[in-house]
Amino acid sequence: MTTAVAPPVLKAISLTHVRYQRGDQLGHLLAWVSLIPVFITFGGFASHFIFRRELQGFLFALGLLISQFLNETVKTIVQQSRPATCELLEICDSHGWPSSHSQYMFFFAVYFTLLTYYRIGVLFRKQLVMVVLVVWPLAFLTMYSRVYLGYHTAVQVFAGAALGSFLGGGWFWVVNKYLRHHFPAIEESVLGRFFYLKDTSHIPNVLRFEYENARSARKHVSYRRSD
């Protein structure tokens, strides 16, 4: 007589595991909104590292990684369950307080706002309008999507937003108060010179600087491509 073998317990990656009710158009939209942190990480930061190699960008991403690590640590300590809908979504094996998606987006929004306000890198203060009209609405939409789709309670997303905002502002202060002074040494280091790491935060208008240097380099034979 053979003994029935229990099926294996499957676990999804919570960062990309998003479900919504069939036929719910708003839920469909919010499911995509809920994936914005993934798009920022693999689209925005990956492209930034490949094409710009800015130290501010590296530390921005590092701050987000630290924030997410702290999020998992707090979840493990608090161990607050997700709402009852977690059974339908098959995510009851993970904790809900604080929401990692909300924490990610509000860390990003606060840090990006400060970068824009202080005109660091290719950003200008005039772009604060874009931040207010695009970045912050996406942060709040992401927070709302996690409640609407049943992944978190309102308390859990607000906790994530508060913690993300605090960490985003705190990390910006640490980077630009203490770490920024070491940027020249990093640029001149072996790894810095090999990977072309740079800091342009001391340049008032980076786009104009790069534009004028690209035009002037065209006149020098040493800068021309051999092919």
Side-chain angles (χ1 to χ4, degrees):
M1 185 175 181
T2 58
T3 304
V5 179
V9 178
L10 302 179
K11 181 176 175 61
I13 299 175
S14 59
L15 185 63
T16 58
H17 188 68
V18 183
R19 290 183 175 181
Y20 64 96
Q21 291 186 11
R22 186 187 299 273
D24 183 357
Q25 297 301 319
L26 177 59
H28 188 194
L29 172 64
L30 292 176
W32 282 105
V33 170
S34 188
L35 292 174
I36 288 176
V38 181
F39 301 146
I40 292 175
T41 301
F42 295 105
F45 283 110
S47 300
H48 180 88
F49 295 155
I50 293 172
F51 296 108
R52 299 214 48 90
R53 317 286 177 90
E54 285 275 359
L55 289 170
Q56 280 281 356
F58 275 102
L59 289 171
F60 191 173
L62 177 61
L64 282 166
L65 290 175
I66 295 173
S67 173
Q68 293 304 294
F69 173 78
L70 291 175
N71 177 272
E72 292 299 324
T73 303
V74 173
K75 280 182 177 178
T76 303
I77 295 172
V78 177
Q79 296 187 359
Q80 186 179 104
S81 300
R82 292 178 183 267
T85 48
C86 69
E87 292 187 9
L88 182 63
L89 298 169
E90 299 180 351
I91 55 167
C92 289
D93 57 340
S94 61
H95 304 299
W97 194 97
S99 165
S100 59
H101 285 70
S102 294
Q103 185 170 322
Y104 184 106
M105 287 303 299
F106 276 81
F107 183 108
F108 179 87
V110 168
Y111 200 101
F112 193 83
T113 300
L114 292 171
L115 280 178
T116 307
Y117 181 79
Y118 288 104
R119 297 178 297 175
I120 295 176
V122 296
L123 301 173
F124 303 97
R125 192 167 295 173
K126 293 180 180 178
Q127 292 174 315
L128 275 175
V129 176
M130 180 194 72
V131 174
V132 172
L133 296 179
V134 178
V135 177
W136 282 100
L138 287 178
F140 280 101
L141 270 176
T142 301
M143 183 174 68
Y144 175 70
S145 73
R146 303 305 288 175
V147 177
Y148 181 91
L149 297 172
Y151 287 87
H152 290 285
T153 64
V155 173
Q156 292 169 353
V157 296
F158 276 108
L163 184 55
S165 299
F166 173 77
L167 292 175
W171 184 244
F172 181 88
W173 178 74
V174 169
V175 169
N176 292 281
K177 177 72 174 179
Y178 297 103
L179 302 183
R180 186 173 169 182
H181 302 298
H182 301 287
F183 284 1
I186 297 174
E187 287 178 324
E188 297 301 324
S189 67
V190 175
L191 289 177
R193 295 173 72 87
F194 180 80
F195 289 106
Y196 299 110
L197 302 180
K198 65 179 183 294
D199 169 43
T200 58
S201 58
H202 58 286
I203 301 174
N205 190 327
V206 177
L207 290 178
R208 181 177 179 181
F209 175 81
E210 292 180 345
Y211 173 73
E212 292 180 348
N213 276 273
R215 291 179 62 220
S216 62
R218 196 181 297 274
K219 303 174 183 178
H220 297 277
V221 178
S222 60
Y223 287 110
R224 293 179 183 173
R225 294 168 59 100
S226 59
D227 57 351

